[in-house]
Amino acid sequence: MVTLTINGQTVQVPAGTTILEAAEKAGIKIPTLCYLKDINKIAACRMCVVEVEGSDRLAAACDTPVEEGLVVHTNTPKVRKARRVNMELLLSQHASYCSTCIRSGNCPLQKLANDLNIHEMPYHVHVARGYTDTSTPLVRQASKCIKCMRCVQICEKVQTMGIWDLAGTGSRTTVDVSGNRTLKTSDCTFCGQCVTHCPTGALTARDDTVKVLDALADPEITTVVQIAPAVRVAWAESFGLTGKKAATGKMVAALRRLGFDYVFDTNFSADLTIMEEGSEFLERFTHRDRYHWPMFTSCCPGWVRFIKSQFPHYVDCLSTAKSPQQMFGAVAKTYFAEKIGVDPHRMFVVSIMPCMAKKSECALPTMRDACGDPDVEAVLTTREMDRLFRSDNIQPGDLPEEAFDSPLGTGTGAAVIFGATGGVMDAALRSAYYLVTGENPDPDAFTAVRGNKPWKEAVFSIPGAGEIRVAVVSGLGNTRKLMKALESGQGRYDFVEVMACPGGCAGGGGQPIHDGEELAGKREDALWKLDQKATIRFSHENPEIQSLYQEFLERPLGKKSHHLLHTDHTTWEVVEKGIWLDSN
């Protein structure tokens, strides 16, 4: 242990602790901007500088280790002046149009500038110019970049994609796409982790709200919206709502107030995915010699893009089942359109997703199987939905709860856990067990695949099928390790679930942003609790799924199911490492 003094307070911490961490333990606040715990400790912004007795230079608290007998002052006149000047210099290269910035009110830079009592600029403001490309789900505005390097570190250390890097020299130094590429010509997966960790509006998800509002305003169009499992445990955070005021039914009511004709639950198509993907796994497992192993889940478009660009020789291992989002769109524009007597060409399907990569998925030319139009026209992130509520002066917490529409609005406990890492695997094993034995297992028999551990392994025995070796992984850095283990022969699995974002969809790139906080674990816990409380906990017992097969699809892996609910991942390529195109 090391003993030091901070602002006259004696503090004891383990050797190797930084001054910032020691101050935090003592309840002393030191401002930060570029700092991300365990990821970014490069002291680039100089907001955390402190005065150390015996030294003429100010020390950056985030990367200065404590020493025995150190005496630290965190708020001297010298420190305050340095922080203020550093902030003014940052602002001199920042487009401070806060009233029209997407991060206004939730911006660490804006808050810190206010905290430092900066209300006018002593320096000439010169911002970087850059073309804003909205053809990809991820949008970068160079004029708002403060060169904090958070995006570089998240992409490199956590996701291992290396999309961002420093470009230029001297005063022209900035952050840009690495290798002299653009986002469109890079192998970016659009996971959005750089967006949720950016402290300003320099990185954002493309805003598709205007497209949706135009559809809502057209009386000739039937608007349909689906809500992903992970959205329900995060949407209320930006409103400060908890408990009953954060109920899913209030979100449903708010979407109806926006003008949607039908509000459905992606839990429905998550159950449908289990029927198709679970049946596909059993078909492969019982005919092992015909397939390349293991079988991978295909629900996450960020993961699909990752494997196609990084490990293309494993693409044939992907399940051919579409994601729940795309299955929903295909069913909505066939089965449901017939039921309500609507021309599917006059139907506009919107997804509310915790994900940015879903925006690219719905634009794939292979996702037009219902009527030739895109099965899903637009994807809004959780953040975009919240902004729409605010723009229409809707107060969701004050609305009475309303139920999803039918017949695409019923989901099970197995479906809601799709938003948590391990949830897809857990749900699939529950129904696979039933499809083989004709009996339900204990719904909590597969707990080994649950929890926040980034890479989980387990072996389960299903009577009549044998032992099934499974793995669950979240975060692309962890995924890369798993893939290399497969290549080296160290990892041998039958079924693998992969989610691109750490913690799964609960920690997706489209979720509400809380600077310095990682809330995926808390949101996941809420999803598992919803499963525990669910009346039905098996996808094959969803009555609306049963009706769908009886009335329309006939059976899992049938001719109609194959056409609408499955896709061939080899019929399109990531051309020029970033442009989705049909290979034909």
Side-chain angles (χ1 to χ4, degrees), residues 229-249:
V231 173
R232 71 204 63 214
V233 293
W235 73 273
E237 291 169 2
S238 62
F239 291 93
L241 301 176
T242 58
K244 291 184 178 180
K245 284 188 173 290
T248 302

Side-chain angles (χ1 to χ4, degrees), residues 279-344:
S279 297
E280 180 187 6
F281 173 72
L282 290 175
E283 163 64 23
R284 293 193 188 199
F285 193 71
T286 53
H287 300 85
R288 294 190 62 90
D289 57 329
R290 301 181 188 176
Y291 299 97
H292 183 191
W293 292 91
M295 186 177 106
F296 293 111
T297 58
S298 55
C299 301
C300 172
W303 148 240
V304 172
R305 186 170 171 87
F306 176 87
I307 195 173
K308 285 185 69 67
S309 69
Q310 308 295 305
F311 298 90
H313 46 291
Y314 276 98
V315 169
D316 61 342
C317 292
L318 286 167
S319 164
T320 62
K322 293 179 180 177
S323 71
Q325 165 179 275
Q326 296 304 141
M327 283 194 183
F328 177 90
V331 171
K333 289 194 172 183
T334 51
Y335 174 69
F336 181 66
E338 288 179 14
K339 273 191 171 294
I340 62 174
V342 168
D343 179 358

Side-chain angles (χ1 to χ4, degrees), residues 177-189:
V177 182
S178 61
N180 199 30
R181 302 174 293 173
T182 64
L183 279 171
K184 189 180 292 186
T185 58
S186 75
D187 47 2
C188 178
T189 63

Side-chain angles (χ1 to χ4, degrees), residues 523-574:
R523 295 166 183 160
E524 285 181 281
D525 290 344
L527 290 170
W528 290 108
K529 288 177 182 176
L530 289 174
D531 169 42
Q532 291 286 339
K533 295 177 183 178
T535 304
I536 304 174
R537 298 184 65 190
F538 298 94
S539 295
H540 55 270
E541 292 185 349
N542 184 329
E544 291 187 357
I545 293 294
Q546 293 173 349
S547 296
L548 175 64
Y549 279 108
Q550 291 167 4
E551 299 173 14
F552 186 67
L553 293 176
E554 297 179 357
R555 64 183 179 85
L557 304 185
K559 183 177 181 180
K560 192 173 289 188
S561 295
H562 182 77
H563 173 67
L564 291 175
L565 308 181
H566 291 257
T567 187
D568 186 347
H569 300 291
T570 65
T571 59
W572 55 272
E573 296 293 340
V574 184

Side-chain angles (χ1 to χ4, degrees), residues 8 15 19 21 24 86 115 120 130 168 185 206 213 238 251 254 273 301 306 385 395 460 468 495 501 522-523 568:
I19 292 176
E21 293 166 336
E24 182 180 6
N86 289 338
D115 290 348
E120 58 183 32
T185 58
R206 184 186 64 222
L213 289 171
S238 62
M251 176 175 56
T273 300
F306 176 87
M385 180 185 70
Q395 301 296 323
F460 298 107
I468 298 176
F495 198 6
C501 294
K522 179 180 178 182
R523 295 166 183 160
D568 186 347

Side-chain angles (χ1 to χ4, degrees), residues 350-406:
V350 179
S351 302
I352 309 297
M353 295 283 140
C355 175
M356 284 172 47
K358 291 289 184 185
K359 289 177 180 280
S360 65
E361 180 188 43
C362 75
L364 285 173
T366 52
M367 298 299 175
R368 296 168 173 253
D369 293 323
C371 65
D373 296 339
D375 295 331
V376 175
E377 272 82 8
V379 173
L380 301 183
T381 63
T382 310
R383 297 191 298 271
E384 286 174 281
M385 180 185 70
D386 287 350
R387 291 203 301 272
L388 281 182
F389 291 162
R390 284 196 167 87
S391 68
D392 262 23
N393 297 309
I394 296 172
Q395 301 296 323
D398 297 333
L399 297 176
E401 292 186 42
E402 296 180 11
F404 287 105
D405 286 303
S406 183

Side-chain angles (χ1 to χ4, degrees), residues 27-43:
I28 298 171
K29 173 69 175 176
I30 297 177
T32 62
L33 191 55
C34 66
Y35 173 78
L36 282 177
K37 184 175 175 59
D38 299 327
I39 297 171
N40 203 31
K41 298 181 180 181
I42 59 174

